[in-house]
Amino acid sequence: MVISRNAAEFVVAFVTGGLGALVCYSALQNGVAWGASGPEPGYFPFYVGCLIILGSAGTAVQALWRSGAAEVFADGHNIRTVAAFFVPLVVLVALCQWLGLYIAMALYLFFATWLGAKLRPFNAFLVAAITTAANFVIFEILFTVPLLKGPVLEYFGIY
Amino acid sequence: MGNFGQLMDGFAVALTTHHVLIMIAGVLLGLVVGVLPGLGAPNGVSLLLPLTFGMDPIAAIILLTSMYWGALFGGSTTSILFNIPGEPSSVATTFDGYPMARKGEAVRALTLAFGSAGIGAMTGVIVITLLSGWVAQFALRFGAAEYFAVYFMAFASFIGMSGGSPFKTLVSMMLGFACATIGMDTISGESRLTFDWDPLIGGVSFLIAVIGLFGLGELLITMEEGVKFEGVKARLSMTEIFRTLAELPRYWATLIRSAAIGCWMGITPGGPTAASFMSYALGRRFSKRGSKFGTGEPEGVVAPETADHSAGSCALLPMLALGIPGSATAAVMMGGLMIWGLSPGPMLFTTRPDFVWGLIASMYLGNVIAVVLVLATVPLFAYVLRAPFKVVGPIIAVVCVIGAYTVANHMFDVWLALVFGVLGYAFKKLNYPLAPFVLAMVLGDKAEDAFRQALLTSDGSASIFFANGLVATMMGLGILLLLLPAISYVHRRFKPDGAREGVVSVVAAARYDGRDAPATTAGQ
Amino acid sequence: MKIQRTIALAAMLAAGAPAMAQDFKPTRPVEFIVAAGPGGGSDTFARVVQASLSKSGLLTSPIIVTNKAGGSGAETFIYAKTSPGDPYKLFFGTQDAYVLPLASKLSYSLDDLTPIAAMAFDPFLLWVNPKTSGIEDVKGFIAKAKEQPGALKVGGAKAKEADETLMTLIEQKAGVDLTYIPFKSGSEAAIQVAGGHITANVNNPSESVEQWKAGVQKPLCVFEDARLEDKTVIADGMSWNAIPTCAESGIDVKSFAQPRTVWMSAKTPPEAVAYYTELLKKAAETPDFKAYVSRGAQIPRVLTGDAFKEFIAKHKASYAEMYKTNGWLRAEN
């Protein structure tokens, strides 16, 4: 699978254009006029949204204009490498929601360095354990910042 | 000179073993805080506040300011090594610091950053020492219109800077403005762009955007490219550090310009982040090697670092003298002052000279201590680069995730950082400039507030922006800065050898330094 | 494997949770969540309570202060809603807890909070810069405002909150027309007055007192029933007590002081509520807290339990009334 640069340009321009439209829509609800004593709350956001749409359209047209170059944005290999890094990251964040940051972090680091970086399981375990412990010491003990603990740590009396 | 005598008394207060030890502890804690994204200087200082309750105010403020210096230095470290700005004000350091590190010059980049930061901070403290009485009076002259003019100048200096498609620059900057708008509007009390959705009511933190766009985005790109850091080649000897320090005086022009910008932005309400951006942009425009900015140019590290630290130091002065914090960290410290029973304001200098001058003296000492300590850590940080990136990558990712969480203890922020990460990845690959986004997000809502407050004050008349000499001068300078790219473009067009093919946009012209610039001794 | 274990643990945890002690005593860190940014009024309040509790040994568990200032502090109370019954979270604010939902559409209501205490009341004063404005007293202020309707600019913190409400009250009671200019904080507004950029501001004593001492601000009157008690001379040979009430000098606005309030989330166990109520009562008696109250010329009045609830109901109703007059009240209220 190959994603051409132009396709990527279009997708991104479409997304930013959509965001611009969303900004305009929301600004309309705040009032976009220039009142007697200066602009209403929606005035600036509205034109900011318009400029986003304008810029996005310009980008899309520009991409169309020089569409001769069949530049590649990402090929199959790229996509796989990025996904191999990004998907576990999303899983990590999802796990954080209900396992707490520390356990999710340890699991993620273990698997990412074991399967991703091809460390030996024991070394991967060491990396995970040391990083998690270091974070625990820095945040919980040094700076008393409570990170999300999750039910498991709470059960063991770690708040 | 009265100030000098009082400063000497201040040194007598600050130079006790107890206070020096506190400075060292503060700097070290600050380094840790600064290295961790999300847990920046303001957070770090507010976390340390409870520790100071039992201390006398002088020791307490010394601890907090030392931590501030440490955090500022720590923030630059991760900017250079991993493209993750530990502090908002060190975003501009990534532009050239990170490319330098990728080229195997991490040690040089770090040393340059710390050295110039130290010089910037010293300049800031000297300005405070000499001008403390005058600054308070000067700052009182700043009404809403003057505030706006300061922000306008920062924007104007930056607007022509980024190369590439003007449409992409526009999109990037306007998205930054839009992000700054999210949340409660100060002037009307209405919520904007929140879609009545709870997680958005507090707005989107600038730190979240930076962690995503820079940290996670860069991580994705690095993983994709399979780039190996050339850190192994970097020499880790102390001689390398000293050689680089000896190189610093060569950048005297950049140092002076940046320190001046920094002091100006610190005293006025611009703040360190805007200062570092403005200094980078002007460095790019006026330096002989400006066209090389962004590719790992030493001056591109020196300019933002010097300005960042001189602004950071100067920002403490309005806080002490007026009770107006010049930066987020100064706001936390101001809270501290009130809890210790001191009231920041014009009378603090007369009622508690021991406190004020002890603090100022400790700023001299604290910065020297910070530079020495932080230079000692350079080999340590550079050593991190020797580890294989496939192992370091996930650790950085975890640091980013935790960083995003600690900004406000919200899981939502972490998701948002992931979204910004994807955006950063796509933007970077498609050559959207990120700097305009960041600048717009930092200054956008402040500029809008000031603009609307000014118009309310003048009953809607725009003449308030040119109502007195101060504001008119600033606005005029801003307009000049805005027009400069166009002027230098025209200037270049009518030079026989100046025309470069295919460069049409005014934006691109800004990259030209407007002079016949033979390669000088700057750099190697 | 790991996941199974987690589920098992979670189940065990759920079973063990109800075993709550009869007498509540905190066994883990207590979190103070502040509805203002660092350096703001509520922030200082919460941190002073933190200092007085930990220094006096009244509370030995660690106290963690976090700021959730978004949406003028609404973020804090929305957060309270998401953790019902949590006996380790205290929320610090002002009247904002029950006034914010009057004007803005927010996802929390007063029912999501358990009121614990009001620990002090911060009065409001009217300030001018006598040098730049030429105004020396309330009479002069009113005269000037009547001379040029709408020309006097009055600054305050934020929009459609206490400061702007007070300004509209002044307009109504004194029969004048003023222009309100919102700033991010009261101290910013104070500096604008000191610099002569705007005419006057309404502010708590602590945010303007240093400018007063420096001679760039002067208090005209206090929006209370009676004069403030402190008779120590502050500046110009005047004490807080020497400042006339606004009612006696021609602007009939009384008892506008804002309470410094502490809340917990809804469904908090009664024994925890009782514990913290007692704790905060004791905290208000510590020298640290007393020094804070007198430094800011605040009114040392502590309200807890039913008295506090009664006060909330009254105060909320009066705000609703004022908001209605100003046209800020949401339709649903």
Side-chain angles (χ1 to χ4, degrees), chain A residues 5 8-9 12 16 19 22-23 25-26 30 34 36-41 44-45 48 51-52 54-56 58-59 62 73-74 78 81-82 85-86 89-90 92-94 96-97 101 105 108-109 112-113 116-117 119 127 131 135 138-139 142-143 145-148, chain B residues 29 32-33 36 39 47-48 67 165-168 170-171 174-175 177-178 181 185 188 190-195 216 219-220 223-224 390-391 393-395 397-398 401-402 405-406 409 411 414-415 418 422 425-427 429-432 448 451-452 455-456 459-460:
Chain A
R5 187 179 164 112
E9 291 275 12
V12 172
T16 54
L19 288 175
L22 212 59
V23 171
Y25 164 75
S26 175
N30 294 111
W34 188 287
S37 52
E40 286 182 3
F44 283 109
V48 160
L51 286 175
I52 295 176
L54 177 81
S56 308
T59 310
Q62 239 177 9
F73 179 77
N78 288 140
T81 352
V82 172
F85 184 74
F86 192 67
L89 200 55
V90 175
L92 161 69
V93 179
C96 285
Q97 297 271 42
L101 279 163
M105 173 187 354
Y108 166 79
L109 280 175
T113 50
L119 289 189
V127 169
T131 314
N135 272 306
I138 290 174
F139 286 101
L142 201 53
F143 291 119
V145 180
L147 299 188
L148 201 63
Chain B
L29 282 172
V32 178
V33 162
L36 298 165
L39 205 69
L47 292 172
L48 272 194
M67 175 162 193
S165 155
F167 288 118
K168 287 179 175 172
L170 183 70
V171 169
M174 291 303 142
L175 279 177
F177 276 126
T181 310
D185 172 32
S188 67
E190 287 177 34
S191 21
R192 299 190 294 181
L193 293 179
T194 59
F195 304 96
L216 290 174
L219 213 49
L220 288 174
M223 276 293 169
E224 177 183 13
K390 286 212 157 183
V391 177
I395 296 179
V398 163
V401 166
I402 297 178
Y405 181 79
T406 47
N409 292 8
M411 272 317 282
V414 184
W415 288 111
L418 283 186
V422 174
Y425 167 78
F427 271 21
K429 284 204 83 172
L430 297 174
N431 299 326
Y432 281 80
E448 190 198 341
F451 184 78
R452 287 162 68 191
L455 285 182
L456 281 172
D459 296 315

Side-chain angles (χ1 to χ4, degrees), chain B residues 397-488:
Chain B
V398 163
V399 169
C400 287
V401 166
I402 297 178
Y405 181 79
T406 47
V407 169
N409 292 8
H410 271 321
M411 272 317 282
F412 172 78
D413 283 344
V414 184
W415 288 111
L416 203 61
L418 283 186
V419 173
F420 274 117
V422 174
L423 193 73
Y425 167 78
F427 271 21
K428 196 127 197 192
K429 284 204 83 172
L430 297 174
N431 299 326
Y432 281 80
L434 287 179
F437 180 98
V438 175
L439 190 71
M441 196 163 172
V442 174
L443 291 183
D445 60 334
K446 289 186 193 164
E448 190 198 341
D449 282 354
F451 184 78
R452 287 162 68 191
Q453 281 160 355
L455 285 182
L456 281 172
T457 319
S458 70
D459 296 315
S461 156
S463 63
I464 188 167
F465 296 111
F466 298 91
N468 60 54
L470 179 65
V471 67
T473 312
M474 287 194 291
M475 290 300 286
L477 273 175
I479 293 169
L480 197 70
L481 282 169
L482 208 58
L483 293 177
L484 208 60
I487 295 168
S488 72

Side-chain angles (χ1 to χ4, degrees), chain B residues 60-105:
Chain B
I61 191 79
I62 288 178
L63 178 68
L64 296 191
T65 47
S66 307
M67 175 162 193
Y68 183 32
W69 313 136
L72 286 180
F73 282 108
S76 320
T77 310
T78 42
S79 291
I80 290 169
L81 294 183
F82 306 117
N83 202 41
I84 307 174
E87 293 286 324
S89 56
S90 45
V91 170
T93 309
T94 63
F95 300 158
D96 277 282
Y98 184 63
M100 276 185 87
R102 294 267 300 246
K103 284 198 289 189
E105 296 185 346

